[in-house]
Amino acid sequence: QVQLIESGGASVQTGGSLRLSCHASGDVGRTNCMAWFRQVPGKEREGVALIYNVGGGTHYADSVKGRFTISQEHAKNTLYLQMNSLQLEDTAMYYCAAAVYCPTKLRGTKKSDFYYWGQGTQVTVSS
């Protein structure tokens, strides 16, 4: 089993920045990729960014390209999401996820594609 705990969510004004963290514990070595998803009430959970544990290749949703950066610090078993130029539409609950069998792209990735999930951290952007 893998346990994921997110942190760093907060309320911020438009144009501001936040860095989310996700600490992984347990059988982390089994996983091959990690990702950030987000969800607002009444909508499906959407993939925001994906990173492969080996090689560090990444994928981003079109809506966050150029503003968000996903990264990992393997020594600390921690995943990050640096979010800059935050917009009102970035308001959501953000979830960290990990998978053994990884998708080859982010577009179309579903919640069921990832086995391990954190509890989420809320990001609220206001004007």
Side-chain angles (χ1 to χ4, degrees), residues 49-114:
L50 166 70
I51 188 167
Y52 298 102
N53 295 353
V54 177
T58 58
H59 296 286
Y60 293 93
D62 289 342
S63 59
V64 306
K65 277 181 184 175
R67 299 189 299 121
F68 290 12
T69 303
I70 188 171
S71 62
Q72 290 175 305
E73 192 169 356
H74 292 293
K76 294 184 177 181
N77 284 339
T78 302
L79 178 74
Y80 300 102
L81 185 68
Q82 177 66 44
M83 305 187 294
N84 298 328
S85 302
L86 283 161
Q87 303 169 0
L88 294 175
E89 51 268 35
D90 295 319
T91 294
M93 184 71 78
Y94 283 72
Y95 296 91
C96 171
V100 176
Y101 303 103
C102 299
T104 58
K105 56 183 180 179
L106 186 62
R107 186 188 295 272
T109 296
K110 303 180 296 295
K111 181 180 176 182
S112 57
D113 291 326
F114 284 78

